[in-house]
Amino acid sequence: MPNEKNDTKSMSLVEGSAIDDISIDCVILGFNNGTLEVLLVQHGEGDSKGEWGLPGGWIKKEESIDNAANRLLEELTGLDNVFLEQLKVFGDPKRVSFRRVLTIGYYALIKREDDKLKASLVLTDAKWFKIKNIPDLIFDHNEIINYSLKHLRNRVRQAPIGFNLLPEKFTLLQLMKLYEEILDIEMDKSNFRRKILHMKLLKPLDEKQQDVSHRAAKLYQFDQEIYDLLTQKGFNFEF
Amino acid sequence: MPNEKNDTKSMSLVEGSAIDDISIDCVILGFNNGTLEVLLVQHGEGDSKGEWGLPGGWIKKEESIDNAANRLLEELTGLDNVFLEQLKVFGDPKRVSFRRVLTIGYYALIKREDDKLKASLVLTDAKWFKIKNIPDLIFDHNEIINYSLKHLRNRVRQAPIGFNLLPEKFTLLQLMKLYEEILDIEMDKSNFRRKILHMKLLKPLDEKQQDVSHRAAKLYQFDQEIYDLLTQKGFNFEF
DNA sequence: AACCTTATGGTTAATTTGACTACAAGTATA
DNA sequence: TATACTTGTAGTCAAATTAACCATAAGGTT
């Protein structure tokens, strides 16, 4: 809140911030078949009818913006308890024509194989697009996606959030492939394995992969409790 | 921008996002005498008159939010071309009473010894507060400051932005003390020196400290051009 | 001259990294 | 059944990096 000393006392919307409206847009990311994908929806009204864009919506009177983002995400995907973080506000005056609309960007990391998700998506016209093959979107939505990817690449090195894109139980190679895809680099199987196991962050399970046409790999699980314990002791996730 | 298919067609402010107003608040950080400080101002009107808070203001119709933040910063400090980045939006419904006001948080890193700054500040009632000694502020401004510090601690490890808090010419020990203060850790002089010099990021000058009561240290300068060249070649700043 | 304080340059062992090699455990195919 | 093929898992080794030191230099102060 500004120091109003030098300003008009109690500002109405029009005189004050000169913003017509503020929305929320969410970059929903999933990992499928070794590629990162984003969930887009078709715009329903106005000039841009039929064009693709990020799913989004409006903030209600009594809810926090984080709650609003969570609600919108659940309305579309049927999922709750999802990894969801705010990116920032996008506020170019020309991002929407005729009106001054800001949007708060969020990004979510979700598990593609969730049944609730699948059930929810058949009801809508939402569609997954490969990250490397995204069409021209409405407004500044391409910019928002690009920003979210840049942000993700930083974040994934500093905090164990990649797991949110994988099934509950995963192999080390799946995890590595995820990192390779997000960071757009190649890694060494053996060295990756050594590094991640050395962190003692993953819970090894007594299970193996099923139905693969080669030697089945051991399954691991990310355990938030283990992570919290480690960080309390001063452990710092870094990749 | 939301997909409006399931929503009211053209939303007015009240029916749409239900947000009364949106402001900008800026965490201005400086480094003085080995301690990190933040610049606060006294609130002028209303219930919270006399209480301290972050400097802030409103966005104008035709300017981008980054421009708005820069303008507000210059109005207060007289400085332009300052390191200034958006943090995120703070949007708790109860952060301001009676009205629903969001605020976009920014943080700036500035050089305390700048003459323009000094001249500007004598005209206002702004005051520097040590980071470890900040009073209760209006609204959620303590939260915004805490967030900015957490953010800074991450950012300063990944990008060479610390220099923005130091004079143009500085010694390696000054730089180390800055890192120690920001990250709240102790470092080894010798190892720090080796690491930072090894990056070949700093331009060694033919000058030394003046007026110190001990052996004068060599002065260095951060050179954006060198940095850009290095990053082009794939160099990645990490601390 | 003796004594501070900080600057600067090294040493060394421990740890981490990157590039590889080798072999194990399965499936698929001949 | 034998062989090839694919992926999993373990280990080696040299190079690079880090952490913890030590030593000396270069000024000022007493």
Side-chain angles (χ1 to χ4, degrees):
Chain A
M1 242 334 244
N3 167 7
E4 298 182 2
K5 187 177 39 138
N6 300 316
D7 296 331
T8 317
K9 218 186 269 189
S10 148
M11 295 192 170
S12 77
L13 178 81
V14 177
E15 295 160 21
S17 69
I19 303 300
D20 295 325
D21 221 334
I22 181 153
S23 63
I24 286 183
D25 285 310
C26 191
V27 180
I28 302 172
L29 296 169
F31 187 61
N32 187 232
N33 254 313
T35 53
L36 208 51
E37 296 182 337
V38 60
L39 190 62
L40 301 175
V41 296
Q42 247 170 328
H43 211 235
E45 299 279 345
D47 292 347
S48 46
K49 178 164 180 165
E51 290 181 61
W52 293 93
L54 293 172
W58 309 103
I59 303 158
K60 290 190 178 172
K61 188 80 184 171
E62 342 67 29
E63 68 188 351
S64 75
I65 52 178
D66 284 353
N67 283 348
N70 268 298
R71 174 178 53 77
L72 292 164
L73 186 64
E74 184 170 0
E75 284 170 11
L76 179 67
T77 65
L79 301 172
D80 53 0
N81 264 115
V82 165
F83 177 89
L84 180 67
E85 274 187 355
Q86 190 193 133
L87 292 166
K88 66 162 192 167
V89 187
F90 294 81
D92 192 281
K94 298 206 175 74
R95 61 177 295 279
V96 173
S97 20
F98 304 115
R99 295 165 69 223
R100 183 75 198 270
V101 184
L102 307 187
T103 198
I104 307 175
Y106 274 81
Y107 76 113
L109 305 180
I110 69 175
K111 301 182 193 303
R112 284 291 296 271
E113 57 291 320
D114 193 297
D115 291 329
K116 275 187 283 185
L117 173 67
K118 287 173 181 164
S120 211
L121 288 189
V122 295
L123 305 174
T124 70
D125 55 354
K127 203 176 126 189
W128 290 100
F129 287 78
K130 291 190 204 310
I131 237 44
K132 285 172 184 160
N133 196 20
I134 294 173
D136 280 348
L137 307 179
I138 55 169
F139 310 133
D140 54 357
H141 287 192
N142 291 92
E143 184 192 340
I144 299 176
I145 292 178
N146 288 337
Y147 184 90
S148 76
L149 293 174
K150 216 180 76 190
H151 181 86
L152 176 63
R153 277 190 271 268
N154 278 318
R155 205 81 176 75
V156 90
R157 284 173 169 282
Q158 299 192 314
I161 62 171
F163 308 100
N164 293 293
L165 289 162
L166 292 177
E168 279 302 326
K169 302 168 181 181
F170 51 84
T171 72
L172 294 186
L173 197 61
Q174 285 170 352
L175 183 60
M176 186 180 101
K177 292 288 177 194
L178 173 64
Y179 272 81
E180 287 190 330
E181 168 75 3
I182 294 178
L183 299 174
D184 201 21
I185 55 176
E186 296 215 331
M187 293 173 149
D188 179 274
K189 255 194 312 181
S190 186
N191 293 338
F192 179 87
R193 167 183 211 52
R194 186 181 25 172
K195 187 162 183 181
I196 193 91
L197 286 181
H198 182 244
M199 294 184 193
K200 295 176 188 298
L201 191 62
L202 299 181
K203 191 158 88 188
L205 302 175
D206 282 332
E207 286 178 73
K208 295 193 166 191
Q209 273 179 308
Q210 299 294 327
D211 304 317
V212 283
S213 68
H214 54 77
R215 176 177 174 183
K218 196 179 180 67
L219 292 172
Y220 292 83
Q221 201 167 16
F222 173 69
D223 187 327
Q224 187 67 40
E225 281 186 39
I226 298 180
Y227 177 65
D228 292 342
L229 246 157
L230 286 174
T231 42
Q232 269 173 36
K233 289 181 188 165
F235 164 78
N236 206 354
F237 182 89
E238 270 196 32
F239 225 92
Chain B
M1 236 345 233
N3 167 7
E4 297 182 3
K5 189 178 36 140
N6 301 316
D7 296 331
T8 317
K9 218 187 270 188
S10 148
M11 296 191 172
S12 77
L13 177 82
V14 177
E15 296 160 18
S17 69
I19 303 301
D20 296 324
D21 220 335
I22 180 154
S23 63
I24 286 183
D25 284 310
C26 191
V27 180
I28 302 173
L29 297 169
F31 186 62
N32 187 232
N33 255 312
T35 53
L36 208 51
E37 297 181 337
V38 61
L39 190 63
L40 300 176
V41 296
Q42 248 170 327
H43 211 234
E45 299 280 345
D47 291 347
S48 47
K49 178 164 179 163
E51 291 181 60
W52 293 93
L54 293 171
W58 309 102
I59 303 158
K60 290 190 178 171
K61 187 81 183 169
E62 341 68 27
E63 69 188 350
S64 74
I65 52 178
D66 284 354
N67 283 348
N70 268 299
R71 173 177 54 76
L72 293 165
L73 185 64
E74 184 170 0
E75 283 170 11
L76 179 68
T77 64
L79 302 173
D80 54 0
N81 264 114
V82 166
F83 177 89
L84 180 66
E85 273 186 357
Q86 190 193 133
L87 293 167
K88 66 162 191 167
V89 187
F90 295 81
D92 192 281
K94 297 207 175 73
R95 60 177 295 278
V96 173
S97 22
F98 304 115
R99 294 165 70 221
R100 182 73 197 271
V101 184
L102 307 187
T103 197
I104 307 175
Y106 274 80
Y107 76 113
L109 305 180
I110 70 176
K111 301 183 194 304
R112 284 292 295 271
E113 58 290 321
D114 193 297
D115 290 328
K116 275 187 285 185
L117 172 68
K118 287 173 181 163
S120 211
L121 288 190
V122 295
L123 305 174
T124 71
D125 55 354
K127 205 176 126 189
W128 290 100
F129 287 78
K130 291 191 203 311
I131 238 43
K132 286 173 183 160
N133 196 20
I134 294 174
D136 279 347
L137 307 178
I138 55 170
F139 310 133
D140 53 356
H141 287 192
N142 291 92
E143 184 192 341
I144 298 177
I145 292 177
N146 288 337
Y147 185 90
S148 76
L149 293 174
K150 216 180 75 189
H151 181 87
L152 176 63
R153 277 191 271 268
N154 279 319
R155 204 82 177 73
V156 91
R157 284 172 169 281
Q158 299 193 315
I161 61 171
F163 308 100
N164 294 292
L165 288 163
L166 291 177
E168 279 302 325
K169 303 168 180 181
F170 51 86
T171 72
L172 295 186
L173 196 61
Q174 285 170 351
L175 184 60
M176 185 180 101
K177 292 287 179 197
L178 173 64
Y179 273 81
E180 287 190 331
E181 169 74 2
I182 294 178
L183 299 174
D184 201 21
I185 54 175
E186 296 216 330
M187 293 173 149
D188 179 275
K189 254 197 307 183
S190 186
N191 294 337
F192 179 87
R193 168 184 208 57
R194 178 155 34 105
K195 186 162 184 180
I196 193 91
L197 287 180
H198 182 245
M199 294 185 194
K200 294 174 187 301
L201 190 62
L202 298 181
K203 191 157 90 189
L205 302 175
D206 283 331
E207 287 177 73
K208 295 192 167 192
Q209 273 180 310
Q210 300 294 326
D211 306 317
V212 284
S213 67
H214 53 79
R215 177 177 173 183
K218 196 180 182 66
L219 292 172
Y220 291 83
Q221 201 167 16
F222 173 70
D223 187 327
Q224 187 66 42
E225 281 185 39
I226 298 179
Y227 177 65
D228 291 342
L229 246 156
L230 287 174
T231 42
Q232 270 173 35
K233 289 180 187 164
F235 164 78
N236 207 355
F237 182 90
E238 270 195 33
F239 225 93

